[in-house]
Amino acid sequence: MIKKWFEIITDHRISLRERMFRIVTGVCMIAITFTLPMGRSIWNILILLLSLTAMTVIVKYSIRQKRIHLGATLIAMLLLILFPITFFSAGGFYSGVPEWFVLCFIYVCITLQGRRRVVFFGLCTAETMLCYGTAFYFPALAAPSSQHDALFDSAFSMIMVGLLTSILLMFLNKMYEEENALSQRQKKEIEELNRAENHFFSSMSHEIRTPINTIIGLNEIILREHISEEVAENARNIQGASKLLLSLINDILDISKIKSGKMEIVNVSYETGALFSEIVNMIWIKAKEKDLEFKLHVDPSIPSMLCGDEVRIKQVLINLLNNAVKYTSAGSVSLSVRCERLGVNRVRVWYSVEDTGQGVKKENIPYIFNAFRRVDEGRNRYIEGTGLGLSIVHQLVELMGGEISVNSVYTKGSTFIVSLEQDIVDEKELGTFTLASRSRVHEGETYRQSFEAPDAHILVVDDNDMNLMVVKKLLAETKIQIDTASSGAECLRLTQNHHYDCILMDHLMPEMDGIECLHALRVQPAGLCQVVPVVALTANAGSDNQLLYRREGFSGYLAKPVSGALLEAAV
Ligand code: ADP
C-alpha cells in the first residue's frame, strides 16, 4: 500500500493538488496513529480511532469524486474538533497536544485555498486562544496529568511533530524539484518543437520552390518562343498559377518567421516606376478577368528612386490589391500613391487601395488583421483565402515603421491606407505614370537578352538536374558557355582544371553544401577559381538570406524561382 501511495504522489499525470492532499492527510493520519498508544483513557483512544476511520472515508470519497477541496475542508473541520477534545482530556498545556495544533495550521495552509483558507486560519487561531484561555481560567477542565506523564507526552509530541513536519517538507521539496525539472523539460521540448516547426516550414518551402522553379523557368522559355496566342495564353495562366502557389508558400513562411521574431527588413535602393509597373502588371489582369475597372493615380512628383524594403512594400500592396479584387464583384479597384516631403532626404509615401466591393461590417473591422481570422464567413465561404494576408500586411507595415488604417462601409466598399517613410535616393521626379503608358510597354514587350557573351564561361552547381537545365535554357540566348556540376565535389574537380568567369551555386546540397563548397573553393590548392565571383542561387528563401550569403563570402544572391532577366543581371 505504501509503495502504491509513493507511486501516486510521484505520478505527474495526477494533479498537484490531489498529490499535496494525499501527502498532508497521510502525514496527519500517521501522527494520529502514533498518538493512539498515548491515549490516557479508553474514550481518548476511541475518539482517535473514530477520527482515523472518518478521515479514511473522507479521503476515499473525495478522491473518487474528484472533490479534493471539499475533502480537505472536511478533514480540517475534523482536526478542529479532535484537537480541543484531546487537549482537555490529555492534560491541557501540560500535555503533548499543543504541538499538534501546529499541524492543524500546516494542514490548512497546504490543502485549502482562497477564502476558505483565510476562514480556517481564523478558526485555528480562535480555537487555540480559546483552548489556552479556558485551560488558564478553568484549570479543572484540563485535568493535569503527572509531571512525569506531561514531560513524556510533550517530548514525544515535539519529536513526532518535528519529524512529521520535516518529512512533509522533504516531500514537498522533492515534489517541487520534480515539477521544476518537468517544466524545464517541457520548456526545452516546446523550444525544440518551435525549432522543428520553423525547420519544417523552411524545408517545405525549399522543397516546393524547387519544382516551381522548373515550372516558371520552362514556362518563360515557352513564352519566349514564337507561339500561337492560345498557347501563350495557356503559358501565362501557368505563370499566374505558379506565382499564386509561390505567394501561398511565402505567406506561410512569413508567418512562421514573424512568429519566431526572425523577420528582418532589408532596405535597398529601388526604382519607384519599376515597383509600380510590377505591381500593376500583376493586378490589372486580375481586375480585367472580373470585369472590374482598374484605376491608377500616381503622384508625378514622387522621386524616381527611394530606399526601402522593396520586396516587402510590393508584398503589402499586392496583398491589399488582391483582396480588393477578390472581395469586389462589380465596379472598380484603384491604387493611389501620394508623397509628402518630410525633409531634405526623406518622404512619407501614402499608398491607398480602394474598392467598391462588399466592405467589412463595422464590428468585424478590429478582427481583420488577426492571423487565420476570416470575417463574414457566410458571405466569404466561396472566396479563396486563409486569413493570413492582412495579418502579414499589418506586421510588415509595423516592422517597416509605417502605419496602416482601414475605412470600410458594408456593401459599399473599403479603403486601406498605408503610410511609409523612406529615404530619397534620386530626387528626379517619376513624372506621369499611367496605366495606358505602362500597358503599351507591356504589350510591346518581347524577350530580348540583355547581353551576349560567347567568350564567357560559367559554372552552375546544383544537385537537381531540372534546375541545371532551367538555368542553361534561361541563359541560352546570351551564348555564354555553361558547364554544370551536380555536387560540391564535382564543382571542386572542375575548378581544379578550368577557370570560370562566374559560378552560380545552390546552397542545400547533400554531402557538401554550397557554403562549404565556396569556402573550399577559396582555399583550393592550385584551384583556378579562388577569386572568381560566386553567386548563391537557392530555393532557401527569405530576406535575411541576403545577409547570410554576403557574410559567408558570396558575391550575390538569387532566390529560386528566378527569372531570365534577373539571372542575366546577376551574371
Ligand atoms: P483572406 O485570405 O481571407 O483574404 P485576409 O487576412 O487577407 O485573409 O483578410 C481577412 C478578412 O478581411 C477576409 O476574410 C475578409 O473578410 C476581410 N477583407 C480583407 N480585405 C477586404 C476587402 N478589400 N473588402 C472586404 N473584405 C475584406
Side-chain angles (χ1 to χ4, degrees), residues 216-473:
I216 293 183
L218 294 185
N219 203 54
E220 187 180 327
I221 306 289
I222 295 173
L223 279 167
R224 283 182 197 176
E225 307 285 331
H226 299 288
I227 44 173
S228 70
E229 188 40 43
E230 197 187 337
V231 177
E233 185 66 33
N234 288 345
R236 275 195 290 273
N237 284 340
I238 294 175
Q239 201 171 35
S242 326
K243 285 190 175 158
L244 192 72
L245 187 59
L246 198 64
S247 78
L248 215 71
I249 301 161
N250 287 342
D251 274 2
I252 294 173
L253 199 66
D254 282 348
I255 276 284
S256 106
K257 267 202 182 148
I258 292 173
K259 227 174 71 184
S260 58
K262 286 192 184 142
M263 175 66 79
E264 275 180 34
I265 295 300
V266 182
N267 290 329
V268 291
S269 304
Y270 69 92
E271 286 178 32
T272 45
L275 173 80
F276 300 141
S277 272
E278 221 178 307
I279 292 170
V280 173
N281 274 344
M282 288 182 80
I283 294 301
W284 80 274
I285 189 109
K286 289 186 184 171
K288 198 174 142 207
E289 276 164 13
K290 283 188 79 177
D291 270 336
L292 300 173
E293 191 189 347
F294 182 67
K295 297 178 188 166
L296 179 69
H297 311 281
V298 179
D299 182 350
S301 72
I302 191 167
S304 60
M305 280 192 92
L306 292 174
C307 178
D309 193 330
E310 183 192 12
V311 176
R312 299 301 170 195
I313 297 173
K314 206 159 41 187
Q315 187 177 355
V316 165
L317 295 178
I318 286 174
N319 230 309
L320 294 177
L321 284 161
N322 270 336
N323 274 354
V325 172
K326 215 163 64 169
Y327 296 104
T328 304
S329 47
S332 64
V333 166
S334 46
L335 169 66
S336 313
V337 187
R338 190 166 63 80
C339 122
E340 177 196 343
R341 283 267 169 174
L342 291 179
V344 202
N345 258 330
R346 211 155 162 80
V347 280
R348 178 177 292 129
V349 186
W350 302 82
Y351 310 88
S352 153
V353 175
E354 196 175 342
D355 66 61
T356 55
Q358 64 184 49
V360 186
K361 282 184 190 157
K362 208 172 167 191
E363 65 267 27
N364 285 335
I365 289 182
Y367 305 109
I368 58 173
F369 294 109
N370 291 0
F372 297 106
R373 183 79 185 243
R374 304 197 73 205
V375 299
D376 214 357
E377 286 273 17
R379 221 174 150 155
N380 295 340
R381 204 161 354 142
Y382 303 107
I383 301 177
E384 277 176 11
T386 52
L388 285 177
L390 283 186
S391 163
I392 295 173
V393 163
H394 186 237
Q395 298 186 63
L396 285 179
V397 170
E398 272 194 349
L399 279 173
M400 290 190 280
E403 280 172 18
I404 181 165
S405 62
V406 53
N407 283 319
S408 192
V409 180
Y410 194 50
T411 72
K412 293 276 183 282
S414 319
T415 308
F416 287 83
I417 300 171
V418 173
S419 70
L420 292 172
E421 283 187 24
Q422 292 166 68
D423 283 336
I424 300 169
V425 177
D426 189 344
E427 289 277 357
K428 203 175 106 215
E429 292 185 352
L430 174 68
T432 317
F433 184 91
T434 62
L435 204 54
S437 60
R438 184 215 55 85
S439 45
R440 262 202 309 281
V441 173
H442 180 74
E443 275 156 22
E445 198 181 276
T446 47
Y447 169 77
R448 257 192 80 90
Q449 73 274 35
S450 50
F451 64 89
E452 266 184 23
D455 294 334
H457 200 177
I458 71 164
L459 173 66
V460 189
V461 190
D462 200 309
D463 60 314
N464 184 302
D465 288 345
M466 281 290 174
N467 285 342
L468 292 175
M469 182 186 71
V470 167
V471 175
K472 273 181 95 166
K473 289 201 171 196

